[in-house]
Amino acid sequence: MRLHAGDSGAALGLNVVMLGPPGAGKGTQAERLAERRGLPRISTGDILREAVQQGTSLGAVAQQTMDAGRLVSDDVMIGIVQERLDQDDARKGFVLDGFPRTVEQAAALDRMVNGRGPLVVLDVVVPEDVLVRRLATRRICGSCGATAAVDWKQSCEKCAGQLVTRVDDSDEIVRERLKVYQRQSKPLVDYYAARGTLRSIDGNRAADVVTAAVNQAIDEATGSGLPPKGGSREREA
Ligand code: AMP
């Protein structure tokens, strides 16, 4: 796989982008990957939800758009990510979850990572009927926002907060979000595929199997030589 940056990335960071529709499991996989590689996971959805919860001006701008299942403007999102990537902990690399979501955001990200090491793009693919089913049953913690694993039952494993349904996981809004994904975010797959920086991961499997595939894809993409921890070889897009 040809990486985007014009260098080997040996002394540079590992910059990962997770693509995929809502419900594909990007959040879980991004969290596991970030932990394993000692990188910050940057979820733009989490940043926006936090802003809403704290009642900041960003939260005020974002809430209605998020509740309707539409995308917050490129200008706002690019500003948020630029600021986050400028922080020290992101210098060694990052796992981006939920950004970019438009080709314009992807072009801005290219400018931000220029000279900071290769960009590895993972596209987590799950059939639409499975996504709809997953989102209908998804619960998050109403206090800290963590996504609940199937066996959490009543309360959050991390902070014991009450589990709730995300406003934007309601039937009607899910359909809108999937439409928005097809229209605005799917073109990203072509954007990255044309450059050869993309790997497709079958996300319709048990989370641990997907995690193994993600790690293998990263190892292969970066030529790091870390032994893969199981899972099947993924398709190079
Ligand atoms: P997520 O948690 O990633 O599903 O994001 C929840 C919502 O936040 C989305 O439906 C959008 O309204 C908004 N959002 C998150 N990331 C972005 C982005 N990169 N561009 C535009 N809107 C975003």
Side-chain angles (χ1 to χ4, degrees), residues 44 48-49 66 70 72 77 98-99 101 105 166 177:
T44 45
L48 293 174
R49 277 184 290 277
M66 292 172 77
R70 294 193 303 270
V72 174
M77 297 314 301
F99 185 96
R101 262 179 154 100
Q105 291 179 15
R166 258 172 66 168
R177 288 165 70 204

Side-chain angles (χ1 to χ4, degrees), residues 21-23 26 41 43-46 48-49 62-74 77-78 81 97-102 105 138 166 168-169 173 177 180:
K26 297 189 299 295
R41 168 195 170 218
S43 156
T44 45
D46 281 358
L48 293 174
R49 277 184 290 277
Q63 181 157 29
Q64 268 197 334
T65 312
M66 292 172 77
D67 287 352
R70 294 193 303 270
L71 295 187
V72 174
S73 77
D74 285 337
M77 297 314 301
I78 289 165
V81 171
D97 165 16
F99 185 96
R101 262 179 154 100
T102 64
Q105 291 179 15
R138 175 161 78 175
R166 258 172 66 168
D168 59 349
D169 278 349
I173 307 299
R177 288 165 70 204
V180 166

Side-chain angles (χ1 to χ4, degrees), residues 166-202:
R166 258 172 66 168
V167 174
D168 59 349
D169 278 349
S170 71
D171 265 15
E172 194 189 334
I173 307 299
V174 161
R175 273 194 292 276
E176 177 63 19
R177 288 165 70 204
L178 291 173
K179 255 195 269 168
V180 166
Y181 177 77
Q182 286 297 332
R183 194 172 58 236
Q184 285 174 278
S185 304
K186 206 73 195 295
L188 286 175
V189 174
D190 298 332
Y191 178 88
Y192 287 118
R195 292 201 325 218
T197 60
L198 183 70
R199 280 209 162 230
S200 183
I201 305 280
D202 174 3

